[in-house]
């Protein structure tokens, strides 16, 4: 198993890291367990101060941390700075609100008997994280668990080891106690060993459906609590009465940000027939404005994909989409040659339920367009998916939009804006998009012992 940084812009090997030894894994578990025990005796306020110091560290050296994102997975430097900012926002949310989400909750049991809930730590959590948002994904798990008193051991994606190391270094620079956070360049076997270890009481995965099946099965075999933040085929619904400008801006940025590699990207545009032609003309114009190039150049607006293998995989998927009968409405589906992992954006239509790629997540700048007549058709098409992560609805009739939102089978949905993760709001999916919630007051309780005390 190798952890390697290969610059997606030019294919150059930047750095390799050896996989962890079993001794390193054991040390991480020992340190984590010591932190867990120590944190039980410590006031939350002390950890809130330490988490604030971590947020300060990311803020002070934002450009330093942002550069690793661009070098490791090709993110535009402006988006990389944005990710560092969001990482800080996630930390600060739990600095300010974490303790409040953990105060005892009173219940009134029958006939005047009293009861309350306590929220407390349970042990180490293994976080298995993806490359597409290398810092925010880690902070989403780390910040709430740190406040709660659960140590976190990170197994990051093998293509972003410098980002993983940088997060670990940031924790050290901020003076966080030993064992609170540890990055391990673990093999899959070592991840399984950690899940089976009694010092570990939870596993949080963000990644693909395939990894979800394997890791959830391992957690189940060991009766460990797990959360699964998996992929999606999110819809962007545009009704006849939408504000066209708003809908187009949200649809296009929702599909092309992070080079189309976001779990909640607007992957399927479902557009009502009355606005379809105007919408299509406008999105073609917007797509044409995107310029690929060096992600470190501030003028570049479309980054390369995260790796050569991501590029080749998407190219294969697009071929299967087109062989299956769909057609290109805008863009050039031929592969980009050369060492960079570039992919030319596409707008495709004619995806039918029997297309072999229908309901597969296309993780890159490929938008699917569907013309739909009425609300019944929209709901049928939107819900004809094994996934259920997020979505967006554009309509100037808010009441209608909210009623429609209730009928869409997803864990979250936005009205008149692209869906984005905010620290205050629960984030997660249903169906094959996974289970559990991150962020907000719910995220901090996922790996808590929710203890009922009667009397
Ligand atoms: P991935 O291939 O599943 O990898 C995710 C992480 O899981 C990586 O660290 C990977 O390590 C690890 N992994 C995979 N199989 C494993 C196994 N058998 N045992 C232990 N670890 C294993 O996914 P990805 O391609 O990096 O990320 C993209 C996916 O994540 C997309 O489907 C996207 O929609 C989803 N995502 C979901 C959310 C959400 O919040 N719902 C957010 C972001 C992304 P290696 O790199 O070493 O293989």
């Amino acid at each position: 198993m190798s952890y390697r940084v290969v610059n997606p812009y030019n294919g150059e090997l930047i750095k390799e890291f050896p996989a962890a030894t079993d001794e390193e894994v054991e040390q991480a578990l020992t340190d984590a367990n010591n932190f867990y025990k120590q944190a039980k005796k410590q006031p939350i306020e002390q950890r809130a101060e330490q988490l604030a110091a971590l947020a300060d560290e990311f803020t002070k050296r934002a450009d330093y941390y942002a550069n690793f994102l661009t070098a490791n997975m090709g993110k535009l430097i402006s988006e990389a700075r944005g990710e560092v900012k969001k990482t800080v926002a996630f930390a600060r949310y739990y600095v300010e609100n974490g303790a409040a989400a953990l105060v005892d909750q009173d219940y009134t049991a029958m006939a005047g008997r009293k009861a309350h809930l306590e929220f407390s730590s349970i042990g180490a959590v293994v976080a298995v994280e993806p490359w597409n948002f290398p810092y925010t994904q880690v902070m989403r798990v780390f910040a709430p668990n740190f406040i709660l008193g659960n140590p976190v051991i990170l197994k990051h994606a093998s293509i972003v080891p410098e980002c993983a190391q940088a997060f670990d270094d940031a924790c050290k620079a901020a003076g966080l106690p030993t064992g609170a956070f540890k990055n391990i360049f673990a093999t899959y076997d070592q991840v399984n060993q950690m899940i089976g270890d009694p010092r570990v009481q939870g596993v949080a995965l963000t990644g693909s459906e395939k990894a979800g099946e394997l890791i959830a099965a391992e957690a189940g075999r060991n009766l460990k609590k797990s959360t699964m933040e998996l992929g999606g085929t999110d819809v962007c619904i545009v009704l006849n009465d939408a504000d066209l400008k708003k809908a187009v801006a949200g649809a296009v940025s929702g599909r092309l940000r992070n080079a189309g590699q976001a779990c909640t990207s607007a992957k399927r545009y479902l557009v009502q027939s009355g606005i379809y032609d105007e919408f299509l003309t406008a999105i073609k114009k917007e797509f044409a404005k995107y310029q690929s190039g060096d992600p470190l150049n501030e003028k570049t607006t479309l980054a390369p994909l995260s790796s050569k293998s991501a590029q080749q995989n998407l190219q294969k998927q697009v071929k299967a989409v087109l062989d299956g009968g769909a057609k290109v409405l805008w863009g050039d589906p031929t592969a980009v040659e050369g060492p960079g992992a570039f992919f030319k954006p596409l707008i495709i239509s004619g995806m039918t339920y029997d297309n072999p790629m229908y309901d597969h997540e296309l993780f890159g700048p490929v938008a699917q367009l569907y013309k739909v007549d009425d609300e019944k058709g929209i709901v049928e098409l939107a819900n004809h998916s094994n996934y259920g992560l997020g979505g967006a609805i554009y309509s100037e009739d808010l009441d209608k939009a909210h009623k429609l939102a209730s009928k869409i089978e997803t864990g979250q949905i936005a009205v008149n804006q692209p869906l984005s993760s905010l620290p205050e709001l629960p984030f997660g999916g249903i169906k094959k998009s996974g289970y559990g919630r991150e962020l907000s007051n719910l995220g901090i309780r996922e790996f808590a012992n929710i203890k009922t005390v009667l009397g």
Side-chain angles (χ1 to χ4, degrees), residues 1 129 131 155 157-158 188 206-208 211 229-231 263 361 427:
M1 172 110 208
E129 298 300 327
W131 46 262
K155 182 265 179 273
S158 52
Y188 289 0
T206 298
S208 61
E229 296 283 348
L230 310 178
C263 52
E361 186 181 41
F427 187 101

Side-chain angles (χ1 to χ4, degrees), residues 331-374:
D332 170 7
T334 55
V336 180
E337 302 295 333
F342 287 98
F343 197 95
K344 290 178 274 188
L346 290 175
I347 303 170
I348 56 178
S349 77
M351 273 294 250
T352 48
Y353 291 165
D354 60 356
N355 188 301
M357 282 292 115
Y358 182 84
D359 213 28
H360 283 251
E361 186 181 41
L362 302 177
F363 218 51
V366 181
Q368 300 171 38
L369 185 62
Y370 299 80
K371 189 194 273 188
V372 196
D373 288 329
D374 53 19

